[in-house]
mmCIF file of all heavy atoms in Angstrom:
data_model
loop_
_atom_site.group_PDB
_atom_site.id
_atom_site.type_symbol
_atom_site.label_atom_id
_atom_site.label_comp_id
_atom_site.label_asym_id
_atom_site.label_seq_id
_atom_site.Cartn_x
_atom_site.Cartn_y
_atom_site.Cartn_z
ATOM 1 N N ASN G 33 -45.054 121.038 -28.312
ATOM 2 C CA ASN G 33 -43.920 120.187 -28.174
ATOM 3 C C ASN G 33 -44.142 118.803 -28.894
ATOM 4 O O ASN G 33 -45.236 118.230 -28.905
ATOM 5 C CB ASN G 33 -43.791 119.736 -26.647
ATOM 6 C CG ASN G 33 -43.415 120.782 -25.690
ATOM 7 O OD1 ASN G 33 -44.127 121.204 -24.788
ATOM 8 N ND2 ASN G 33 -42.457 121.603 -26.127
ATOM 9 N N GLY G 34 -43.185 118.526 -29.705
ATOM 10 C CA GLY G 34 -43.232 117.256 -30.536
ATOM 11 C C GLY G 34 -43.986 117.546 -31.883
ATOM 12 O O GLY G 34 -44.331 116.608 -32.556
ATOM 13 N N LYS G 37 -40.835 120.666 -35.216
ATOM 14 C CA LYS G 37 -40.033 121.912 -35.566
ATOM 15 C C LYS G 37 -38.575 121.568 -35.648
ATOM 16 O O LYS G 37 -37.934 121.860 -36.694
ATOM 17 C CB LYS G 37 -40.305 123.069 -34.533
ATOM 18 C CG LYS G 37 -41.660 123.424 -34.237
ATOM 19 C CD LYS G 37 -41.821 124.352 -33.074
ATOM 20 C CE LYS G 37 -41.293 123.945 -31.819
ATOM 21 N NZ LYS G 37 -42.160 122.961 -31.075
ATOM 22 N N THR G 38 -38.046 121.035 -34.624
ATOM 23 C CA THR G 38 -36.650 120.635 -34.565
ATOM 24 C C THR G 38 -36.353 119.792 -35.725
ATOM 25 O O THR G 38 -35.318 119.883 -36.472
ATOM 26 C CB THR G 38 -36.222 120.031 -33.278
ATOM 27 O OG1 THR G 38 -36.595 120.997 -32.151
ATOM 28 C CG2 THR G 38 -34.801 119.821 -33.250
ATOM 29 N N THR G 39 -37.136 118.766 -35.986
ATOM 30 C CA THR G 39 -36.877 117.815 -36.992
ATOM 31 C C THR G 39 -36.870 118.510 -38.409
ATOM 32 O O THR G 39 -35.988 118.267 -39.157
ATOM 33 C CB THR G 39 -38.035 116.695 -37.099
ATOM 34 O OG1 THR G 39 -38.110 116.151 -35.697
ATOM 35 C CG2 THR G 39 -37.820 115.632 -38.048
ATOM 36 N N GLN G 80 -29.837 124.249 -29.186
ATOM 37 C CA GLN G 80 -30.016 124.748 -27.862
ATOM 38 C C GLN G 80 -28.751 124.451 -27.008
ATOM 39 O O GLN G 80 -28.327 125.215 -26.134
ATOM 40 C CB GLN G 80 -31.248 124.175 -27.139
ATOM 41 C CG GLN G 80 -31.745 125.067 -26.119
ATOM 42 C CD GLN G 80 -33.022 124.518 -25.690
ATOM 43 O OE1 GLN G 80 -33.923 124.065 -26.388
ATOM 44 N NE2 GLN G 80 -33.263 124.349 -24.337
ATOM 45 N N ASP G 157 -32.774 127.292 -32.655
ATOM 46 C CA ASP G 157 -33.665 126.454 -32.052
ATOM 47 C C ASP G 157 -33.863 126.882 -30.614
ATOM 48 O O ASP G 157 -32.944 126.694 -29.778
ATOM 49 C CB ASP G 157 -33.353 125.006 -32.141
ATOM 50 C CG ASP G 157 -34.455 123.961 -31.772
ATOM 51 O OD1 ASP G 157 -35.459 124.453 -31.342
ATOM 52 O OD2 ASP G 157 -34.353 122.796 -31.993
ATOM 53 N N GLU G 158 -35.013 127.442 -30.218
ATOM 54 C CA GLU G 158 -35.387 127.882 -28.887
ATOM 55 C C GLU G 158 -34.127 128.715 -28.248
ATOM 56 O O GLU G 158 -33.657 128.345 -27.147
ATOM 57 C CB GLU G 158 -35.756 126.799 -27.976
ATOM 58 C CG GLU G 158 -36.964 126.083 -28.552
ATOM 59 C CD GLU G 158 -37.590 125.031 -27.538
ATOM 60 O OE1 GLU G 158 -37.537 125.355 -26.366
ATOM 61 O OE2 GLU G 158 -38.176 124.102 -28.021
ATOM 62 N N ILE G 188 -37.173 129.543 -33.585
ATOM 63 C CA ILE G 188 -38.153 128.625 -32.944
ATOM 64 C C ILE G 188 -38.314 128.972 -31.516
ATOM 65 O O ILE G 188 -37.296 129.236 -30.780
ATOM 66 C CB ILE G 188 -37.552 127.149 -32.987
ATOM 67 C CG1 ILE G 188 -37.342 126.761 -34.487
ATOM 68 C CG2 ILE G 188 -38.466 126.205 -32.241
ATOM 69 C CD1 ILE G 188 -36.797 125.417 -34.623
ATOM 70 N N HIS G 190 -41.338 129.116 -27.999
ATOM 71 C CA HIS G 190 -42.696 128.862 -27.410
ATOM 72 C C HIS G 190 -43.222 130.141 -26.787
ATOM 73 O O HIS G 190 -44.333 130.120 -26.407
ATOM 74 C CB HIS G 190 -42.612 127.764 -26.376
ATOM 75 C CG HIS G 190 -42.373 126.415 -26.986
ATOM 76 N ND1 HIS G 190 -43.212 125.755 -27.814
ATOM 77 C CD2 HIS G 190 -41.249 125.532 -26.835
ATOM 78 C CE1 HIS G 190 -42.670 124.561 -28.166
ATOM 79 N NE2 HIS G 190 -41.534 124.443 -27.533
ATOM 80 N N SER G 395 -39.163 114.790 -27.980
ATOM 81 C CA SER G 395 -38.922 116.286 -28.175
ATOM 82 C C SER G 395 -38.557 116.814 -26.850
ATOM 83 O O SER G 395 -38.899 116.258 -25.850
ATOM 84 C CB SER G 395 -40.152 116.868 -28.871
ATOM 85 O OG SER G 395 -41.153 117.158 -27.888
ATOM 86 N N GLY G 396 -38.068 118.089 -26.892
ATOM 87 C CA GLY G 396 -37.566 118.739 -25.680
ATOM 88 C C GLY G 396 -38.704 118.819 -24.632
ATOM 89 O O GLY G 396 -38.557 118.564 -23.447
ATOM 90 N N GLY G 397 -39.921 119.202 -25.013
ATOM 91 C CA GLY G 397 -41.012 119.374 -24.110
ATOM 92 C C GLY G 397 -41.460 117.980 -23.545
ATOM 93 O O GLY G 397 -41.830 118.002 -22.298
HETATM 94 MG MG1 MG Z 2 -37.378 120.991 -30.382
#
Side-chain angles (χ1 to χ4, degrees):
Chain G
N33 295 128
K37 307 176 294 288
T38 303
T39 305
Q80 204 171 315
D157 196 351
E158 301 192 33
I188 302 178
H190 291 293
S395 78

